[in-house]
Every structure is written in C-alpha cells, then in structure tokens.
Amino acid sequence: MKTYFIKTLFVPLSGLFSKKRLTSVLTAAALLTVFGLGLSLLSGCGKEYDLYVYNWGEYMDEDVISIFEEETGLKVSYDTFDTNEDMYPKVAKNAVRYDVICPSDYMIQRMIQDDLLAEINFDNIPNISNIGAQYLESSREFDPENKYSVPYCWGTVGILYNKTMVNGPIDSWSVLFDEQYQDNILMQKSVRDAMGIALKYLGYSLNTTNEAELQEARDLLVAQKQSGVVQAYVIDQVRDKMIGNMAAIGVIYSGEAIYTQRENSDLEYVVPKEGSNVWIDSWVIPKNAKHKENAEKFINFLCRPDIALKNFEYITYSTPNVAAQELIEDEDIRNSSVAFPDSSVLENCETFQYLGEEADNLYNQLWREVLGE
Amino acid sequence: MNNKRQTLWNHLLATPYVLWMAAFIVIPLFFILYYGLTDADGRLTLSGLAQITNPVNQKALWLSLELSLVSTVICLLLAYPLAMILRSLQMNSTSFIVLIFILPMWMNFLLRTLAWQTLLDKTGVLNTFLTGVGLPPQNLINTPAAIILGMVYNFLPFMVLPIYNVLIKIDRNVENAARDLGANGFQTFLKIILPLSLPGVISGITMVFVPALTTFVISDILGGAKILLIGNVIEQEFQILNWHSGSGLSLVLMVFILISMFVMSKYDKEAEGTAIW
C-alpha cells in the first residue's frame, strides 16, 4: 500500500512537469533531507548547556531567559510541556535530564512521594523573601515542609461569562446546569477540572475518592450534556471562543480571564460561592539534576521583583511575588479581584491532591462515560 | 554496469528504506502488540483487548465505524464522477485540476481542520453570512455532520487520485471497441470502465476508510469533544499513561481494518492497491 500511495501522489505531478525524471529527483531530495535531518539531530546532541529548564508552554516571557543568560553568562536550554501528565513520565523515566521544572501542586506531591525531587538549598535563594507568606503556607498542602518547591504562579478555576448574554450576575456553578443557556456553555476538557466542578457544586471535596460521590458527579455531568447546554469540551480554546462571543459562559483559569477581559470588555470572571480549585505552580529541582546550583540561581532570579513583574505582564497569571505586585503600574490590575482575590473568595477553595493510581483510574473511567454519552 | 553490480547497487539503495521501515513501522507494531497483550507487571493478559467490551468504548467504536463508512461513501460519490471528468479533459488542464486537489495536502492537516472550525462556528464565517442576508444562523459545529464534513474534506484526495490513476490507464481503444460492438455510453461505463477501475476504487476506499476510522483530531476540533470516537478513546488512554489499554484497543481496531482490507482485496483481482494478502 505504501508504494502505491507514493505512486498515486507523484504520477499526476510528474505529468504536470512532463518530466519523468522528476520522481527520482524528488526521491533523492527527500532522502537527502532525511539524512540531513538525522545528522543535524545527532550534532544537536553534542551541545551542552549550563541549565535545562522545563516549563509550561507560554508560561514565561522569553526575554527573561535572555536577561538571565546575559547577567550570569550561563547558557539555558528551554523546553515546554502542555500538561503535568506529559511532563511526569519524561522526568520519572529519566528520559531527559532537566535541572528545574514547574509542575502543579498535586504533581509536586506525587513527585515528592516518588522520591524524584531534590531538597532546595534556600541559602541560595534569598529572594524567597519576596514571596507572600500565605503562598508558602498554602504550599504546605503538597510540600509539607516547604523543602522542595518555590511558588511561581497561582490562580483559581472559575466562570467567565459575557455580561450581555446572561441574565443577571452569576455567582454559582448552578448556571452551568441551567437549561436556558442551550448550546452556550464551554466546559473544560480535563478530568480533574470537570469532575471538580461537579463535586464542588454537589458540596463534596474535589479530592474525594468516595465512589458514590464521584458517581453522583458523573450523573450530574451526563445530565448536563444531555440537556444540551454544553457547546463543546475544550481547553485553551475557551479563551478565544469567549473573546469571539461564541458562548455565554465558559469555565476558565483566572490567569486567562485577565487576558480575555483586555480583549473583550463584556467578559466577567467569578469564583463561584460553592468554592473551586485553587492551584499553585511551583519550581522544583529533580533529584537527577546535573546543575543544581545553576537551577537555584535561576529560581532566585525569577523571584526578583522586576523579573516576576515582567513575567506577570506577559502571562497575566497571578504572581505570589508580593514585591512584584506592588510594582504593577496599572492600578486596576494591581487591585484586580481576578488576579489577586481576597481571602474570603478562597475560603471554600481547595488545591488538588494526588489521589493515587486507583482513584485516578476511577476518575478517568467516569469522565470517559461523560464524554462518551 | 553489469547485472550483478546493478543488483548490489539496488540493495544498497534500498537499505536505508528497509532500516527506516524496521525502526519506525515494524518495531513500533511489535511494541503495540507487546503492550496490548500484557499488563503493568509484564504478565500476559487479555484485559487490554477486553477493554472493547466496556460499553463506552463499544459505543465509540460503532460510532467511528458508522461515521467513517458514511464519509467513505460520500467521498466515493464525489470522487468517481470527478475522476471521470478529469479523464475526459485535455492533459494540460487535467494536471492543473489535479494540482488543485493536491495543493491543500501540502498544507498542515490541523490548519485545514481549524479553518473549518472558523467557517462553521456559531459566529463563524458561514453564520455571519447567513445572518447578514437575513437568514437564521445554523447550528453547524460540534455535530456528527461536521465531523463527516471534516473527514470528507481531508480524505477526498485519497479517493480521487487512485481512481483517476486507474482511469487514465484504461486504453481508449477498449472503450471504442465496446462502442463499435453496439454498446451505448451507459453500457460501456457499466461493463467496461467500472470493472476496469475497481482496483482504484478499492484502494481509494481503503485509503479513506482507514484514516477516517482512526482519527481523533477531527472529532476533537469539529465535534467539540462531545462526540467520542474510538480514536479519541485510544488517545486518552495514552494521555493518562495507560499504554496497555490503549494498545489493546489499537489491536482491536487493527482487526477491523484488516477485515475491511480483506473484504476489499476479494474484489481487487489485480495485484495493485492494497495487496497485503
């Protein structure tokens, strides 16, 4: 089938150029490209950097890296990942050696459990004093002694709604199940977020492993889908679809909310009163890191107020860096309840915990039943 | 160059290709086989394959079969007349039209599918046009129909090209002979052209049906993830690092693909096409 496929593609083309030779020329070109690619990959392996950084995509102003390289003379290799679950096996299976990584709370907990992380030497990170005490306190939920992690960004999961397309102000998850919003609601296509919303609405913990509670949450999400209010299950696209007025209500991370409000002033973000997920992404150093001191230098650099501010302005996710927050020039943003909600909003919020493999499987199975409905 | 050296030369040239096939096609297939038939502790088990008895997965499989079958039929209905038209045209204009069909394939598959999302969206190009001329907006995106549209659009060239290639190879004299012997246009088509073009039709069907059956991107982008196909299930299994279930389901899917190829090959008398049997 393979050869036939290639033939079918090239025969009409060679007819076009009316030169029989074209096929062989193209083949030769293709072979050369492949070998060239192989060679360049091989030679790429030989290059040595002083620091290997592994971060979420679109989660750092890349100028910051250039500044770091200039100031320290260290060469940085910067890679990105899309989900914690993508990142975990690469680090756990030793596939690539990174020196500093930025996972989320529950994943840090899991990595500590699996003995993958090195204790950070905080003598090398004096700038930790810029991080608000409350964030280090919250970090204890996944890093009980504050030994392994330095908070980088944090935020909540909430509802983004278009003021012109909904009736009255919104303050509860109940709108996601309100049948007047037919085909108008964007849900998160991510198991913990979606199940967490349903669990919170039902009054349970979003870290529950109680099967009856989880089934109730599944039934709620299935009913929601059957009622026809869900327009789509998406992740990043919530942002663009809400900006484009394609839906009235969407579930979104607080960091994205600020960006969407800049683009479309009709949008409003709220953390529902039933509570939600509050998350922290923190820098950690894996045990097998080759350049631990450089990693600490990098973390310290990121905690510097001017650098943290630069990153905040680029990615718009809330920074735990109190000194940086004070430097924000735009008063509306500095006092924004979206970027920096006061503690009353966070009262009912929980961070995710790593629940173990068995519970993970149960969550995944129930979530698939929702999607497959 | 004598014959021996020629053969040696041929072998030498083929070596990179054989190595490439072994490394990136054969060995991965064995990996899938291994993971599909073992559990996390490396013991032999059928639990990966048994995943297909899960009602959610079963529903996804039937839905995939249904949607890919419909897309294949639509592709065939569109492609055959087109190939016939191309055949009857002069060579120069033919090449141009064929080029137009191949051109989109030079662009990234994801981009083309995302473009359809922009076209079909609630406030997308089509609906903006409809409301602009005073018609009610239509609910186009996130439906099974949108997924079928995506499949047909993306895979149509794979149906057109094999059929066209077979059709242009049919000797005009065969056709003329049929007409000489008193067959009218319709009879000529039914008794001469159609049977002779079957190999192209068969490989076209396979080349559309197989990718349509296994796709997960199209249903994600144009179905809003509301419609779960078997490809999505497998993708999710791998996402959550459940390689054993994912591979098991892939094996089950392979069985369906092999069945379809086997059925097709029964009609494909010539060695060309999907000759794996």
Side-chain angles (χ1 to χ4, degrees):
Chain A
M1 192 168 98
K2 277 266 127 54
T3 37
Y4 189 64
F5 172 72
I6 289 166
K7 248 198 288 176
T8 44
L9 284 182
F10 282 127
V11 166
L13 273 182
S14 54
L16 177 77
F17 297 101
S18 68
K19 275 181 191 163
K20 283 272 156 65
R21 298 235 156 168
L22 188 73
T23 327
S24 44
V25 171
L26 275 179
T27 318
L31 276 177
L32 278 176
T33 321
V34 166
F35 283 132
L37 208 71
L39 279 179
S40 61
L41 276 177
L42 281 178
S43 62
C45 292
K47 215 164 190 179
E48 276 290 329
Y49 291 92
D50 304 310
L51 180 67
Y52 291 82
V53 181
Y54 201 28
N55 192 12
W56 293 85
E58 289 284 304
Y59 215 39
M60 183 179 291
D61 185 343
E62 300 215 5
D63 286 350
V64 163
I65 298 170
S66 323
I67 299 174
F68 178 75
E69 286 182 323
E70 248 168 61
E71 286 186 10
T72 60
L74 299 171
K75 273 169 76 190
V76 177
S77 149
Y78 185 72
D79 287 345
T80 61
F81 57 87
D82 285 332
T83 66
N84 284 304
E85 287 67 25
D86 281 349
M87 176 277 302
Y88 178 81
K90 288 190 192 157
V91 175
K93 292 188 174 165
N94 244 324
V96 196
R97 290 206 173 183
Y98 290 105
D99 297 316
V100 58
I101 312 174
C102 185
S104 307
D105 33 44
Y106 71 99
M107 191 50 79
I108 294 174
Q109 187 190 3
R110 180 176 181 184
M111 292 171 90
I112 293 173
Q113 268 177 30
D114 294 348
D115 198 25
L116 291 172
L117 299 184
E119 283 184 32
I120 295 175
N121 180 0
F122 281 92
D123 293 342
N124 292 336
I125 307 183
N127 286 339
I128 188 88
S129 60
N130 295 323
I131 305 290
Q134 69 268 38
Y135 304 107
L136 291 171
E137 194 51 46
S138 311
S139 295
R140 285 176 187 274
E141 280 189 53
F142 54 88
D143 177 10
E145 292 167 68
N146 283 139
K147 279 198 304 198
Y148 298 98
S149 62
V150 175
Y152 177 55
C153 287
W154 70 282
T156 51
V157 174
I159 295 175
L160 186 71
Y161 62 96
N162 192 315
K163 282 180 281 191
T164 62
M165 293 163 86
V166 297
N167 297 325
I170 281 173
D171 66 346
S172 160
W173 290 120
S174 62
V175 289
L176 297 181
F177 310 97
D178 187 338
E179 293 196 15
Q180 64 168 310
Y181 299 115
Q182 280 293 315
D183 200 29
N184 237 338
I185 292 173
L186 297 170
M187 288 293 285
Q188 279 285 328
K189 188 193 160 198
S190 119
V191 44
R192 290 297 296 270
D193 287 329
M195 292 291 282
I197 289 165
L199 287 167
K200 272 297 184 190
Y201 179 56
L202 293 167
Y204 304 131
S205 161
L206 45 71
N207 289 313
T208 185
T209 52
N210 178 321
E211 204 165 332
E213 291 177 2
L214 286 168
Q215 276 169 358
E216 211 179 314
R218 181 224 25 220
D219 293 343
L220 183 67
L221 292 173
V222 167
Q224 181 202 26
K225 189 175 178 188
Q226 281 171 342
S227 74
V229 295
V230 179
Q231 186 184 103
Y233 295 95
V234 280
I235 303 177
D236 298 331
Q237 291 167 28
V238 176
R239 196 170 76 175
D240 298 331
K241 284 184 189 271
M242 290 301 292
I243 292 171
N245 294 326
M246 287 180 202
I249 296 165
V251 176
I252 204 168
Y253 298 107
S254 53
E256 305 281 357
I258 297 171
Y259 174 81
T260 56
Q261 282 174 326
R262 255 189 224 162
E263 303 286 319
N264 183 342
S265 55
D266 288 336
L267 298 178
E268 195 67 65
Y269 177 82
V270 64
V271 177
K273 60 179 185 223
E274 294 92 348
S276 180
N277 164 229
V278 55
W279 48 264
I280 303 180
D281 291 341
S282 302
W283 291 104
V284 298
I285 302 177
K287 216 161 208 170
N288 62 14
K290 274 193 201 156
H291 312 96
K292 186 163 183 280
E293 280 189 16
N294 291 347
E296 283 159 352
K297 237 181 236 174
F298 187 68
I299 295 175
N300 190 46
F301 174 77
L302 290 175
C303 291
R304 224 167 72 185
D306 58 322
I307 298 299
L309 175 69
K310 207 166 162 48
N311 274 328
F312 170 76
E313 281 173 349
Y314 182 79
I315 57 180
T316 67
Y317 275 80
S318 316
T319 174
N321 197 310
V322 184
Q325 189 190 340
E326 280 161 13
L327 290 177
I328 298 171
E329 279 179 22
D330 186 337
E331 200 174 326
D332 288 344
I333 299 276
R334 188 170 63 228
N335 302 320
S336 153
S337 61
V338 177
F340 306 103
D342 48 76
S343 49
S344 66
V345 174
L346 301 177
E347 237 162 54
N348 292 325
C349 291
E350 295 173 84
T351 53
F352 281 132
Q353 311 258 310
Y354 174 58
L355 304 173
E357 207 169 315
E358 207 174 306
D360 258 4
N361 288 341
L362 181 60
Y363 268 83
N364 285 322
Q365 172 57 29
L366 294 171
W367 175 234
R368 185 171 316 146
E369 286 170 26
V370 174
L371 287 181
E373 176 43 52
Chain B
M1 216 184 281
N2 64 35
N3 259 351
K4 236 180 191 171
R5 276 182 63 193
Q6 176 79 51
T7 333
L8 187 72
W9 181 236
N10 283 351
H11 279 296
L12 225 85
L13 269 182
T15 311
Y17 184 59
V18 171
L19 285 178
W20 185 268
M21 290 237 297
F24 297 107
I25 298 172
V26 180
I27 295 174
L29 275 176
F30 275 107
F31 269 114
I32 291 174
L33 200 64
Y34 169 77
Y35 278 110
L37 296 176
T38 54
D39 64 8
D41 304 321
R43 277 188 303 255
L44 213 61
T45 169
L46 291 179
S47 68
L49 294 177
Q51 282 295 317
I52 198 63
T53 56
N54 181 322
V56 178
N57 297 348
Q58 234 168 46
K59 195 178 158 200
L61 177 63
W62 292 124
L63 192 63
S64 300
L65 283 168
E66 196 184 315
L67 292 186
S68 45
L69 211 63
V70 173
S71 317
T72 311
V73 170
I74 295 176
C75 275
L76 184 59
L77 292 179
L78 289 174
Y80 204 96
L82 180 76
M84 287 293 282
I85 294 168
L86 286 178
R87 176 175 181 256
S88 63
L89 290 174
Q90 289 301 311
M91 190 58 189
N92 283 337
S93 46
T94 311
S95 305
F96 177 70
I97 296 172
V98 172
L99 180 73
I100 286 182
F101 267 84
I102 302 175
L103 213 55
M105 289 164 59
W106 295 1
M107 254 168 274
N108 186 295
F109 165 82
L110 268 179
L111 274 184
R112 285 182 281 133
T113 311
L114 280 170
W116 271 112
Q117 191 181 39
T118 316
L119 287 171
L120 300 177
D121 237 323
K122 252 186 134 178
T123 51
V125 177
L126 266 174
N127 272 331
T128 313
F129 173 77
L130 283 179
T131 45
V133 296
L135 291 166
Q138 298 296 307
N139 187 15
L140 304 164
I141 193 100
N142 304 334
T143 57
I147 296 180
I148 291 177
L149 175 72
M151 287 177 176
V152 170
Y153 173 74
N154 277 310
F155 303 134
L156 187 62
F158 296 102
M159 184 70 92
V160 175
L161 295 178
I163 297 178
Y164 168 69
N165 273 330
V166 172
L167 283 181
I168 49 166
K169 276 191 232 149
I170 297 174
D171 196 331
R172 295 269 172 188
N173 287 329
V174 180
E175 213 178 323
N176 293 338
R179 299 304 285 268
D180 275 351
L181 294 170
N184 62 26
F186 182 66
Q187 284 169 322
T188 316
F189 172 74
L190 209 63
K191 300 228 158 145
I192 306 295
I193 307 286
L194 189 62
L196 283 175
S197 67
L198 265 189
V201 174
I202 302 295
S203 46
I205 290 177
T206 318
M207 274 158 57
V208 171
F209 182 71
V210 173
L213 184 63
T214 51
T215 185
F216 64 90
V217 182
I218 297 177
S219 48
D220 242 14
I221 296 179
L222 297 177
K226 280 201 288 188
I227 296 146
L228 195 72
L229 300 186
I230 191 71
N232 299 88
V233 174
I234 295 173
E235 185 227 355
Q236 280 167 27
E237 290 289 1
F238 278 92
Q239 286 261 331
I240 60 173
L241 298 185
N242 201 343
W243 292 6
H244 300 279
S245 303
S247 303
L249 286 170
S250 300
L251 288 177
V252 174
L253 198 55
M254 263 184 230
V255 171
F256 277 86
I257 291 169
L258 288 179
I259 290 173
S260 77
M261 285 177 142
F262 177 71
V263 172
M264 292 286 116
S265 71
K266 286 278 159 211
Y267 295 96
D268 189 6
K269 293 289 185 284
E270 297 191 17
E272 201 159 35
T274 61
I276 61 159
W277 295 99

